[in-house]
Amino acid sequence: MIKAILIFNNHGKPRLSKFYQRYVRGRASLYCCNCIHSGLIGGSDNKLIYRHYATLYFVFCVDSSESELGILDLIQVFVETLDKCFENVCELDLIFHVDKVHNILAEMVMGGMVLETNMNEIVTQIDAQNKLEKSEVSHICHWYQCALIVL
Amino acid sequence: MSDVVERTLSALPGLLGQQDPGAGPGGGPGRVSATSRLGGLIRSITALSSKHEEEKLIQQEQTNLKATVSAPTTTLRLMKECMVRLIYCEMLGYESSFGYIHAIKLAQQGNLLEKRVGYLAVSLFLHENHELLLLLVNTVVKDLQSTNLVEVCMALTVVSQIFPREMIPAVLPLIEDKLQHSKEIIRRKAVQALYKFYLIAPNQVQHIHDKFRKALCDRDVGVMAASLHIYLPMIKKNACGYKDLTESFVSILKQIVGGKLPIDFNYHSVPAPWLQIQLLRILGLLGKDDPRTSELMYDVLDESLRRAEINHNITYGLKALTYVIQQDPNLALQHQMTIIECLDHPDPIIKRETLELLYRITNGQNVTVIVQKMLDYLRQSKEEYTIINLTGKIAELVEKYAPDNEWFIQTMNAVFSVGGDVMHPDIPNNFLRLLAEGFDDEKEDEELRLYAVQSYLSLLEEEDTFYPQKFLQVMSWVLGEYSYLINDGDPEVIITRLHRLLKQTFVTSETKAWIMTAITKMSSRMSCSKTVDKLIQEFSTSLDTCMRQYAFELKHLCENKELMKNLFPLDASCDEIMVDASLSFLDGFVAEGLSCGAAPYKPHHQRQEEKLSQEKALNFEPYGLSFTSSMSSSGFTGRQSPAGLSLGSDMSGNSAEIGQKETNCLKLDGVRKLWGKEGYLPKKENKTGKEDKTQPVPQDSILMAHVVDPPLMQSEQQVVSLSEEEKEKQQLASTLFVGLGSNSTISLMGRADIITQKLKKKSKISETQNSEEASSFQNIAALPFSPLPDITPNNKENFQGSEHLGLRKVSLSSSEVLEASVSFDTSQSVTEAGLDEQLSNCRLSTSSLFADSNIEVFQPPQNIPDIVANKAPLSLCLPEELAGHPHSEIVKLCSSDILTVYWCKVWTDDCSLLVLFVANNSTSPLKTVNLVFESAEHFKIFESLSCHFPVIEAQSMESCQKCVQLEKVCTEGILSGSISYHLDTDTHLEFSLTFSLSDFIRPMKMTTEDFGRLWLSFSNDVKQNLKMSPSQGSLSIALNALKQKLKLHIVEIIGNEGIAACRLLPSVPCLLHCRTHARTLALWFRSSCSALPDSLLYQCQKVMEES
């Protein structure tokens, strides 16, 4: 299974961290970053698989049951999906829309297992959810405005 | 109303800013404020220059946030924004626990958008065992019942991420319902959530296995894919239970490979690679050791391989091929040209995978080419992991298949010089052991050693070349031990070379010790040497104390050549060395000292205690130290009765010292620096690697290939026109895949099975080692001093006991041996009981013998097996002392024409016995029948895993019984084993039998008061509601069913409530409280063992379903 997903930039600043297993909280993400930078890769049944895009490192920490190549391609799918959702995704998108990125991730990986790898399907789901949310929010706004008028 | 108005007013400012929330970043005014605060935080963090400043800033931010979130006027919208900032803080590693409860509240109360952030925050902040998580359960239940898809999705996501194990029953029915939901996404997430439950509490979802099957056949690919996640671990656990699904998996894979999936699922024009991987894995598990199931898959595997090639996605193909090869090596033949192309692929991953594949297909004929390829790759790679991995593989292959001595030594040289100091320390150790212990053939040994010495000498000839430390150590050991084999060489020259090494700066002090030892050994064979004298002089003043000591030792030894020759005998590295551990030769000296009035020796710890009690001061020494010294000294105190202690040792001469050095070097390995005084070291290694490149021998092996492999010849002839390059590749292919044809008998599956000359020799070594160990063990046992004094007497008794039994066996001269092994190493009374059993079994066997021989008179012989098979169960009966206990039916376990095995379970009060009957159906006695159980994960078998019948007379029957214990709680487990016998040829029969938890459950008698007391003391509990069918009507009927099937003890029934107790053997109690209420039976288990209630619950479910 996938144990953790970390994204950080060239300077080692974390941009996203998601743990699917309990880790010692606190500096875990920083620690991982340091590890990769100093080339210390390993641990008990931990594999770190990462890809480097422009200014960002996408790091997946998985156990031995995952295929390395599969994960590498999964990262590619993740990034391509991000690109579709944000239109030319860049580091800033990841900073300011952490919640959105998490939502996209939740559509792909659920509880440490790959849920969906079909890019179009993910984008459709995200769009549908956004639409629903929007409609509900505007609905509530409308209701409140009515309430105001009544007042 | 006023309440509503008030709330509305307080929410207004936020709402007005939210009118256009979908306008993207910076769209509406609300968006600006939201992003600007987070943006402000991020900007100010980026502007900071030190970690310290960051900490201060975050602390300040956290104080602000704390004030905001706990203020009652904070709107949910503002709360949402705060959460995002909190998430950011947490991500940077600053714990913000004050916000956790608010995250849960947000998930509970907010609208969709806020709820989503709330859930996200919860899943990021909390972990599975967090106490606040219980507060979330209600929200999750509510959202699961919501009509809004997004809410259901969110709830399912959070369930699969974090959910408290004990609350699973609360949501399980809701999630089960979701499996029938009309939306794919919901179904998919529900499956995923159930998978999570399966991981944390497998027994609670066992009853929905049928629904998983439905999910597997779902029309949506995503749902099917999600269900594969569940099937993989389930099949891994119990492949037999899912064999019937093989065809479904095969057809799914067929559809995927055939491109039947929507085009969206293609990834870089490969159809759904992840699904393929998953399916291949599952098929691999299903097909393992089962040719019939594997048969179903071959076509589709071949097809997916072919597709993988078409798509030029070689890596997947290679990976798959590597797995497949283990089943059928011939498949590699069909793809040989692809594999050859992969070897020259620029992508290092592909190259590595190819080498992995080649490693699997190596045999005695293609080893030279494959190892050459591996070495080439090794020289290019700089990554430590690759080097360690590859050197290990090369060393293994070389040791197994080396065609001749020269190649062996040359290749090992290359491995040592390239692998350097990162490789596994076993490699040089094994190599040296191989040299030292040698083959059976004395002459060949000498040739090998001589060649090694010569090659090392030529390597050392060049000055100032760098070799890794390990390689130098190997060289110096070999030179020291075997340099006498060179007749024409002058030992002086060798010593000069070694001496030169000693002065090199890159040589570590550990290696220097090896070199010094080598020089010492060599000088023992020479009369006198100028270099040695010079060396002694030089190092007598060395600053390195170790070197100084070696020099002095050498000096003194040189003065007494006779002693030296005795100390270093020729070629004695494998001889046993007798060590007088009790130092008895010093007794005279000690007695003399004592008579002169010297104080008697006190062990270190005693001295220290005395000192301590005198001084009453703090002990500054760490405890560990004083402990070890007291251990060693106590080991030598009891030296009144000196006795020889034999030690098997790999090293000669000062072996103990070298051995110690070696263990030191193991620890140092990890911290070796990449940079030395000469600069970056690995680069230099590479240079030297090129210089001593091994001689490639492709021509020879190509010749060999043409001779050996006719099928390949054919394939070559088929190709009419070939370019030069193609031809080369073809040649390479034929050398690589030689010996892999259909006529090859080598099984690739179990690499260890391959018996070559080298391997045989290895096994011999291990045998001698074993015998050595055994003898030394006996010696130790005979000594009054031993590392574990209390155990020695026991062992002795056991030895005697087994001898006794052996004698008894002989004197009885019955065919019954098994009881002896049952009673082996138990107390004396039990052995006597065993004797009784033997007698009774003898009776049994004679009676059955009689019955069968009766039949034989009247029936033609060829019908005998059938008749025996039918008749045998009639004559089967349990030994008298077991017949009184409840037992299962005696059924056939496995059979062949000659032999039939029956089995039954006997449930006695304190254990579960497995009784096996072995019937000989043939007309001749069976010799050496061996019954061996495989060690199972969940069970333990007493006393041993095997039983042995030296002979089973014709038409007779033997029985054996084993006590089975549940070691790890599980609902059901498989115990497998095999029986082998010898009649003309060796035959092997495999069997497996199932034990379930209920076999190990016994009633536990107690009163209601005891029950009450115990109930409160247990902490592990599980509750579940079961539906009752009308036939099960009342509580007492249901409880009685449980009592019968599960052997519960019903303590009391009052109205619609009842309590029962049972114990898991030997004595783990489990209590059950049940209550009926409108056609549901509420079960509540409590036990001291955490896994037991779960599993028992499952058993109860099964019983209720059945009845």
Side-chain angles (χ1 to χ4, degrees), chain A residues 65 70 73 95 103 113-114 116 129 132-133 136 145, chain B residues 19 42 90 112-113 116 150 188 192 229 274 281 316:
Chain A
S65 68
D73 288 341
I95 299 171
N103 288 337
M113 301 308 287
V114 181
E116 180 62 75
Q129 286 172 20
L132 264 176
E133 273 165 12
E136 183 174 270
Q145 274 169 349
Chain B
Q19 274 164 1
I42 292 164
E90 280 259 330
L112 267 185
L113 201 60
R116 186 134 107 167
V150 182
R188 194 189 317 154
Q192 202 84 7
H229 288 313
W274 293 277
R281 270 198 191 141
Y316 285 117

PDB file of all heavy atoms in Angstrom, chain A residues 65 70 73 95 103 113-114 116 129 132-133 136 145, chain B residues 19 42 90 112-113 116 150 188 192 229 274 281 316:
ATOM      1  N   SER A  65       4.800  -4.175  -1.409  1.00  0.00           N
ATOM      2  CA  SER A  65       3.796  -4.810  -2.258  1.00  0.00           C
ATOM      3  C   SER A  65       3.485  -3.973  -3.497  1.00  0.00           C
ATOM      4  O   SER A  65       2.810  -4.439  -4.399  1.00  0.00           O
ATOM      5  CB  SER A  65       2.515  -5.053  -1.465  1.00  0.00           C
ATOM      6  OG  SER A  65       1.913  -3.831  -1.156  1.00  0.00           O
ATOM      7  N   GLY A  70       4.771   1.061 -11.426  1.00  0.00           N
ATOM      8  CA  GLY A  70       3.374   1.471 -11.353  1.00  0.00           C
ATOM      9  C   GLY A  70       3.242   2.792 -10.629  1.00  0.00           C
ATOM     10  O   GLY A  70       2.491   3.676 -11.045  1.00  0.00           O
ATOM     11  N   ASP A  73       4.385   5.774 -12.661  1.00  0.00           N
ATOM     12  CA  ASP A  73       3.369   6.203 -13.617  1.00  0.00           C
ATOM     13  C   ASP A  73       2.181   6.840 -12.917  1.00  0.00           C
ATOM     14  O   ASP A  73       1.538   7.728 -13.459  1.00  0.00           O
ATOM     15  CB  ASP A  73       2.920   5.018 -14.464  1.00  0.00           C
ATOM     16  CG  ASP A  73       4.009   4.623 -15.453  1.00  0.00           C
ATOM     17  OD1 ASP A  73       4.880   5.473 -15.694  1.00  0.00           O
ATOM     18  OD2 ASP A  73       3.982   3.499 -15.964  1.00  0.00           O
ATOM     19  N   ILE A  95       0.287  25.610  -3.337  1.00  0.00           N
ATOM     20  CA  ILE A  95       0.350  26.307  -2.061  1.00  0.00           C
ATOM     21  C   ILE A  95      -1.022  26.842  -1.675  1.00  0.00           C
ATOM     22  O   ILE A  95      -1.512  26.634  -0.579  1.00  0.00           O
ATOM     23  CB  ILE A  95       1.357  27.473  -2.135  1.00  0.00           C
ATOM     24  CG1 ILE A  95       2.748  26.946  -2.438  1.00  0.00           C
ATOM     25  CG2 ILE A  95       1.349  28.273  -0.846  1.00  0.00           C
ATOM     26  CD1 ILE A  95       3.751  28.033  -2.735  1.00  0.00           C
ATOM     27  N   ASN A 103      -8.239  17.060  -2.401  1.00  0.00           N
ATOM     28  CA  ASN A 103      -9.453  16.445  -2.924  1.00  0.00           C
ATOM     29  C   ASN A 103      -9.161  15.605  -4.158  1.00  0.00           C
ATOM     30  O   ASN A 103      -9.702  14.523  -4.322  1.00  0.00           O
ATOM     31  CB  ASN A 103     -10.483  17.523  -3.260  1.00  0.00           C
ATOM     32  CG  ASN A 103     -11.075  18.127  -2.007  1.00  0.00           C
ATOM     33  OD1 ASN A 103     -11.048  17.496  -0.964  1.00  0.00           O
ATOM     34  ND2 ASN A 103     -11.566  19.347  -2.101  1.00  0.00           N
ATOM     35  N   MET A 113      -4.714   2.957  -0.989  1.00  0.00           N
ATOM     36  CA  MET A 113      -4.802   2.112  -2.181  1.00  0.00           C
ATOM     37  C   MET A 113      -5.200   2.972  -3.368  1.00  0.00           C
ATOM     38  O   MET A 113      -5.948   3.934  -3.230  1.00  0.00           O
ATOM     39  CB  MET A 113      -5.851   1.014  -1.998  1.00  0.00           C
ATOM     40  CG  MET A 113      -5.604   0.099  -0.849  1.00  0.00           C
ATOM     41  SD  MET A 113      -3.967  -0.629  -0.830  1.00  0.00           S
ATOM     42  CE  MET A 113      -4.106  -1.783  -2.139  1.00  0.00           C
ATOM     43  N   VAL A 114      -4.714   2.569  -4.524  1.00  0.00           N
ATOM     44  CA  VAL A 114      -5.049   3.312  -5.729  1.00  0.00           C
ATOM     45  C   VAL A 114      -6.524   3.087  -6.033  1.00  0.00           C
ATOM     46  O   VAL A 114      -6.975   1.960  -6.159  1.00  0.00           O
ATOM     47  CB  VAL A 114      -4.197   2.828  -6.911  1.00  0.00           C
ATOM     48  CG1 VAL A 114      -4.537   3.629  -8.141  1.00  0.00           C
ATOM     49  CG2 VAL A 114      -2.739   2.959  -6.577  1.00  0.00           C
ATOM     50  N   GLU A 116      -8.401   5.214  -8.431  1.00  0.00           N
ATOM     51  CA  GLU A 116      -8.781   5.523  -9.809  1.00  0.00           C
ATOM     52  C   GLU A 116      -7.540   6.005 -10.546  1.00  0.00           C
ATOM     53  O   GLU A 116      -6.779   6.807 -10.031  1.00  0.00           O
ATOM     54  CB  GLU A 116      -9.851   6.616  -9.785  1.00  0.00           C
ATOM     55  CG  GLU A 116     -10.348   7.030 -11.132  1.00  0.00           C
ATOM     56  CD  GLU A 116     -11.013   5.879 -11.863  1.00  0.00           C
ATOM     57  OE1 GLU A 116     -12.140   5.537 -11.512  1.00  0.00           O
ATOM     58  OE2 GLU A 116     -10.370   5.308 -12.786  1.00  0.00           O
ATOM     59  N   GLN A 129     -18.261  17.487  -8.236  1.00  0.00           N
ATOM     60  CA  GLN A 129     -18.316  17.889  -6.830  1.00  0.00           C
ATOM     61  C   GLN A 129     -18.296  19.405  -6.694  1.00  0.00           C
ATOM     62  O   GLN A 129     -19.054  19.986  -5.913  1.00  0.00           O
ATOM     63  CB  GLN A 129     -17.138  17.274  -6.069  1.00  0.00           C
ATOM     64  CG  GLN A 129     -17.337  15.790  -5.832  1.00  0.00           C
ATOM     65  CD  GLN A 129     -16.102  15.138  -5.269  1.00  0.00           C
ATOM     66  OE1 GLN A 129     -15.235  15.808  -4.725  1.00  0.00           O
ATOM     67  NE2 GLN A 129     -16.025  13.836  -5.417  1.00  0.00           N
ATOM     68  N   LEU A 132     -21.690  20.774  -7.568  1.00  0.00           N
ATOM     69  CA  LEU A 132     -22.663  20.552  -6.508  1.00  0.00           C
ATOM     70  C   LEU A 132     -22.464  21.546  -5.377  1.00  0.00           C
ATOM     71  O   LEU A 132     -23.413  22.129  -4.864  1.00  0.00           O
ATOM     72  CB  LEU A 132     -22.514  19.134  -5.957  1.00  0.00           C
ATOM     73  CG  LEU A 132     -23.464  18.093  -6.540  1.00  0.00           C
ATOM     74  CD1 LEU A 132     -23.135  16.735  -5.982  1.00  0.00           C
ATOM     75  CD2 LEU A 132     -24.892  18.464  -6.203  1.00  0.00           C
ATOM     76  N   GLU A 133     -21.203  21.714  -5.010  1.00  0.00           N
ATOM     77  CA  GLU A 133     -20.921  22.640  -3.924  1.00  0.00           C
ATOM     78  C   GLU A 133     -21.368  24.042  -4.277  1.00  0.00           C
ATOM     79  O   GLU A 133     -22.001  24.731  -3.488  1.00  0.00           O
ATOM     80  CB  GLU A 133     -19.421  22.638  -3.631  1.00  0.00           C
ATOM     81  CG  GLU A 133     -19.042  21.560  -2.658  1.00  0.00           C
ATOM     82  CD  GLU A 133     -17.558  21.315  -2.652  1.00  0.00           C
ATOM     83  OE1 GLU A 133     -16.817  22.131  -3.225  1.00  0.00           O
ATOM     84  OE2 GLU A 133     -17.160  20.291  -2.081  1.00  0.00           O
ATOM     85  N   GLU A 136     -25.026  24.430  -4.101  1.00  0.00           N
ATOM     86  CA  GLU A 136     -25.554  24.496  -2.742  1.00  0.00           C
ATOM     87  C   GLU A 136     -25.244  25.855  -2.116  1.00  0.00           C
ATOM     88  O   GLU A 136     -26.105  26.476  -1.503  1.00  0.00           O
ATOM     89  CB  GLU A 136     -24.970  23.395  -1.858  1.00  0.00           C
ATOM     90  CG  GLU A 136     -25.610  23.457  -0.484  1.00  0.00           C
ATOM     91  CD  GLU A 136     -25.186  22.310   0.404  1.00  0.00           C
ATOM     92  OE1 GLU A 136     -25.849  21.278   0.384  1.00  0.00           O
ATOM     93  OE2 GLU A 136     -24.188  22.496   1.115  1.00  0.00           O
ATOM     94  N   GLN A 145     -30.417  35.819   1.290  1.00  0.00           N
ATOM     95  CA  GLN A 145     -30.812  37.113   0.738  1.00  0.00           C
ATOM     96  C   GLN A 145     -32.312  37.329   0.907  1.00  0.00           C
ATOM     97  O   GLN A 145     -32.766  38.413   1.261  1.00  0.00           O
ATOM     98  CB  GLN A 145     -30.429  37.188  -0.732  1.00  0.00           C
ATOM     99  CG  GLN A 145     -28.988  37.656  -0.885  1.00  0.00           C
ATOM    100  CD  GLN A 145     -28.478  37.490  -2.294  1.00  0.00           C
ATOM    101  OE1 GLN A 145     -29.113  36.843  -3.124  1.00  0.00           O
ATOM    102  NE2 GLN A 145     -27.330  38.086  -2.542  1.00  0.00           N
TER     103      GLN A 145
ATOM    104  N   GLN B  19     -20.751  35.586  -2.681  1.00  0.00           N
ATOM    105  CA  GLN B  19     -21.751  35.476  -3.732  1.00  0.00           C
ATOM    106  C   GLN B  19     -21.216  34.798  -4.984  1.00  0.00           C
ATOM    107  O   GLN B  19     -21.950  34.152  -5.701  1.00  0.00           O
ATOM    108  CB  GLN B  19     -22.291  36.863  -4.075  1.00  0.00           C
ATOM    109  CG  GLN B  19     -23.435  37.232  -3.148  1.00  0.00           C
ATOM    110  CD  GLN B  19     -23.733  38.701  -3.200  1.00  0.00           C
ATOM    111  OE1 GLN B  19     -23.103  39.456  -3.932  1.00  0.00           O
ATOM    112  NE2 GLN B  19     -24.702  39.133  -2.406  1.00  0.00           N
ATOM    113  N   ILE B  42       2.033  32.672   4.007  1.00  0.00           N
ATOM    114  CA  ILE B  42       3.045  31.992   3.192  1.00  0.00           C
ATOM    115  C   ILE B  42       4.127  32.968   2.762  1.00  0.00           C
ATOM    116  O   ILE B  42       5.316  32.674   2.814  1.00  0.00           O
ATOM    117  CB  ILE B  42       2.382  31.327   1.966  1.00  0.00           C
ATOM    118  CG1 ILE B  42       1.498  30.177   2.447  1.00  0.00           C
ATOM    119  CG2 ILE B  42       3.414  30.822   0.993  1.00  0.00           C
ATOM    120  CD1 ILE B  42       0.532  29.696   1.427  1.00  0.00           C
ATOM    121  N   GLU B  90       0.387  22.560  10.211  1.00  0.00           N
ATOM    122  CA  GLU B  90       0.666  21.154  10.510  1.00  0.00           C
ATOM    123  C   GLU B  90       1.641  20.572   9.500  1.00  0.00           C
ATOM    124  O   GLU B  90       2.503  19.784   9.843  1.00  0.00           O
ATOM    125  CB  GLU B  90      -0.634  20.344  10.502  1.00  0.00           C
ATOM    126  CG  GLU B  90      -1.428  20.470  11.769  1.00  0.00           C
ATOM    127  CD  GLU B  90      -1.238  19.268  12.692  1.00  0.00           C
ATOM    128  OE1 GLU B  90      -0.996  18.174  12.169  1.00  0.00           O
ATOM    129  OE2 GLU B  90      -1.330  19.444  13.919  1.00  0.00           O
ATOM    130  N   LEU B 112     -21.576  22.123   2.317  1.00  0.00           N
ATOM    131  CA  LEU B 112     -20.724  21.177   1.601  1.00  0.00           C
ATOM    132  C   LEU B 112     -19.261  21.572   1.577  1.00  0.00           C
ATOM    133  O   LEU B 112     -18.379  20.801   1.946  1.00  0.00           O
ATOM    134  CB  LEU B 112     -21.218  21.045   0.167  1.00  0.00           C
ATOM    135  CG  LEU B 112     -22.203  19.920  -0.087  1.00  0.00           C
ATOM    136  CD1 LEU B 112     -22.495  19.843  -1.564  1.00  0.00           C
ATOM    137  CD2 LEU B 112     -21.619  18.608   0.397  1.00  0.00           C
ATOM    138  N   LEU B 113     -19.029  22.807   1.177  1.00  0.00           N
ATOM    139  CA  LEU B 113     -17.652  23.249   1.010  1.00  0.00           C
ATOM    140  C   LEU B 113     -16.912  23.214   2.335  1.00  0.00           C
ATOM    141  O   LEU B 113     -15.761  22.765   2.430  1.00  0.00           O
ATOM    142  CB  LEU B 113     -17.667  24.672   0.436  1.00  0.00           C
ATOM    143  CG  LEU B 113     -16.401  25.118  -0.269  1.00  0.00           C
ATOM    144  CD1 LEU B 113     -16.116  24.196  -1.434  1.00  0.00           C
ATOM    145  CD2 LEU B 113     -16.573  26.545  -0.761  1.00  0.00           C
ATOM    146  N   ARG B 116     -16.335  19.760   3.630  1.00  0.00           N
ATOM    147  CA  ARG B 116     -15.244  19.096   2.938  1.00  0.00           C
ATOM    148  C   ARG B 116     -13.899  19.475   3.567  1.00  0.00           C
ATOM    149  O   ARG B 116     -13.054  18.621   3.821  1.00  0.00           O
ATOM    150  CB  ARG B 116     -15.268  19.512   1.469  1.00  0.00           C
ATOM    151  CG  ARG B 116     -14.272  18.748   0.689  1.00  0.00           C
ATOM    152  CD  ARG B 116     -14.878  18.251  -0.580  1.00  0.00           C
ATOM    153  NE  ARG B 116     -14.367  19.014  -1.696  1.00  0.00           N
ATOM    154  CZ  ARG B 116     -14.522  18.636  -2.966  1.00  0.00           C
ATOM    155  NH1 ARG B 116     -15.162  17.538  -3.237  1.00  0.00           N
ATOM    156  NH2 ARG B 116     -14.035  19.359  -3.928  1.00  0.00           N
ATOM    157  N   VAL B 150     -22.125  14.024  -2.791  1.00  0.00           N
ATOM    158  CA  VAL B 150     -20.823  14.498  -2.340  1.00  0.00           C
ATOM    159  C   VAL B 150     -20.633  14.198  -0.863  1.00  0.00           C
ATOM    160  O   VAL B 150     -19.554  13.807  -0.423  1.00  0.00           O
ATOM    161  CB  VAL B 150     -20.691  16.007  -2.622  1.00  0.00           C
ATOM    162  CG1 VAL B 150     -19.338  16.500  -2.196  1.00  0.00           C
ATOM    163  CG2 VAL B 150     -20.906  16.271  -4.089  1.00  0.00           C
ATOM    164  N   ARG B 188     -17.707   2.262  -5.731  1.00  0.00           N
ATOM    165  CA  ARG B 188     -16.264   2.077  -5.712  1.00  0.00           C
ATOM    166  C   ARG B 188     -15.699   2.442  -4.334  1.00  0.00           C
ATOM    167  O   ARG B 188     -14.899   1.731  -3.755  1.00  0.00           O
ATOM    168  CB  ARG B 188     -15.653   2.967  -6.785  1.00  0.00           C
ATOM    169  CG  ARG B 188     -14.229   2.613  -7.083  1.00  0.00           C
ATOM    170  CD  ARG B 188     -13.610   3.646  -7.979  1.00  0.00           C
ATOM    171  NE  ARG B 188     -14.496   4.066  -9.067  1.00  0.00           N
ATOM    172  CZ  ARG B 188     -14.398   5.253  -9.635  1.00  0.00           C
ATOM    173  NH1 ARG B 188     -13.514   6.118  -9.215  1.00  0.00           N
ATOM    174  NH2 ARG B 188     -15.205   5.578 -10.603  1.00  0.00           N
ATOM    175  N   GLN B 192     -13.848   0.229  -1.359  1.00  0.00           N
ATOM    176  CA  GLN B 192     -12.565   0.639  -0.779  1.00  0.00           C
ATOM    177  C   GLN B 192     -12.666   0.728   0.747  1.00  0.00           C
ATOM    178  O   GLN B 192     -11.760   0.326   1.461  1.00  0.00           O
ATOM    179  CB  GLN B 192     -12.188   1.996  -1.365  1.00  0.00           C
ATOM    180  CG  GLN B 192     -10.727   2.290  -1.287  1.00  0.00           C
ATOM    181  CD  GLN B 192      -9.971   1.680  -2.448  1.00  0.00           C
ATOM    182  OE1 GLN B 192     -10.567   1.145  -3.369  1.00  0.00           O
ATOM    183  NE2 GLN B 192      -8.665   1.731  -2.385  1.00  0.00           N
ATOM    184  N   HIS B 229      -8.298  -4.991  -4.921  1.00  0.00           N
ATOM    185  CA  HIS B 229      -7.509  -4.682  -3.723  1.00  0.00           C
ATOM    186  C   HIS B 229      -7.841  -5.652  -2.607  1.00  0.00           C
ATOM    187  O   HIS B 229      -6.983  -6.063  -1.848  1.00  0.00           O
ATOM    188  CB  HIS B 229      -7.806  -3.265  -3.243  1.00  0.00           C
ATOM    189  CG  HIS B 229      -7.227  -2.214  -4.125  1.00  0.00           C
ATOM    190  ND1 HIS B 229      -5.945  -2.256  -4.577  1.00  0.00           N
ATOM    191  CD2 HIS B 229      -7.769  -1.080  -4.626  1.00  0.00           C
ATOM    192  CE1 HIS B 229      -5.708  -1.196  -5.330  1.00  0.00           C
ATOM    193  NE2 HIS B 229      -6.797  -0.466  -5.384  1.00  0.00           N
ATOM    194  N   TRP B 274      -2.057  -0.552 -14.357  1.00  0.00           N
ATOM    195  CA  TRP B 274      -2.149  -0.866 -12.926  1.00  0.00           C
ATOM    196  C   TRP B 274      -3.026  -2.083 -12.693  1.00  0.00           C
ATOM    197  O   TRP B 274      -2.715  -2.937 -11.892  1.00  0.00           O
ATOM    198  CB  TRP B 274      -2.707   0.337 -12.168  1.00  0.00           C
ATOM    199  CG  TRP B 274      -1.756   1.473 -12.192  1.00  0.00           C
ATOM    200  CD1 TRP B 274      -0.696   1.667 -11.359  1.00  0.00           C
ATOM    201  CD2 TRP B 274      -1.745   2.568 -13.109  1.00  0.00           C
ATOM    202  NE1 TRP B 274      -0.030   2.807 -11.705  1.00  0.00           N
ATOM    203  CE2 TRP B 274      -0.648   3.396 -12.773  1.00  0.00           C
ATOM    204  CE3 TRP B 274      -2.554   2.929 -14.168  1.00  0.00           C
ATOM    205  CZ2 TRP B 274      -0.351   4.557 -13.470  1.00  0.00           C
ATOM    206  CZ3 TRP B 274      -2.250   4.086 -14.850  1.00  0.00           C
ATOM    207  CH2 TRP B 274      -1.167   4.882 -14.505  1.00  0.00           C
ATOM    208  N   ARG B 281      -0.514 -10.257 -10.488  1.00  0.00           N
ATOM    209  CA  ARG B 281      -0.124 -10.685  -9.146  1.00  0.00           C
ATOM    210  C   ARG B 281      -1.095 -11.724  -8.608  1.00  0.00           C
ATOM    211  O   ARG B 281      -0.693 -12.737  -8.043  1.00  0.00           O
ATOM    212  CB  ARG B 281      -0.149  -9.491  -8.207  1.00  0.00           C
ATOM    213  CG  ARG B 281       1.175  -8.819  -8.192  1.00  0.00           C
ATOM    214  CD  ARG B 281       1.253  -7.946  -6.964  1.00  0.00           C
ATOM    215  NE  ARG B 281       2.427  -7.115  -7.121  1.00  0.00           N
ATOM    216  CZ  ARG B 281       2.499  -5.863  -6.776  1.00  0.00           C
ATOM    217  NH1 ARG B 281       1.481  -5.284  -6.206  1.00  0.00           N
ATOM    218  NH2 ARG B 281       3.600  -5.196  -6.959  1.00  0.00           N
ATOM    219  N   TYR B 316       7.259  -3.161 -18.217  1.00  0.00           N
ATOM    220  CA  TYR B 316       6.191  -3.985 -17.660  1.00  0.00           C
ATOM    221  C   TYR B 316       6.337  -5.425 -18.125  1.00  0.00           C
ATOM    222  O   TYR B 316       6.178  -6.366 -17.372  1.00  0.00           O
ATOM    223  CB  TYR B 316       4.824  -3.450 -18.084  1.00  0.00           C
ATOM    224  CG  TYR B 316       4.408  -2.208 -17.357  1.00  0.00           C
ATOM    225  CD1 TYR B 316       4.213  -1.008 -18.008  1.00  0.00           C
ATOM    226  CD2 TYR B 316       4.222  -2.249 -15.981  1.00  0.00           C
ATOM    227  CE1 TYR B 316       3.843   0.131 -17.339  1.00  0.00           C
ATOM    228  CE2 TYR B 316       3.835  -1.115 -15.299  1.00  0.00           C
ATOM    229  CZ  TYR B 316       3.645   0.074 -15.979  1.00  0.00           C
ATOM    230  OH  TYR B 316       3.270   1.179 -15.304  1.00  0.00           O
TER     231      TYR B 316
END
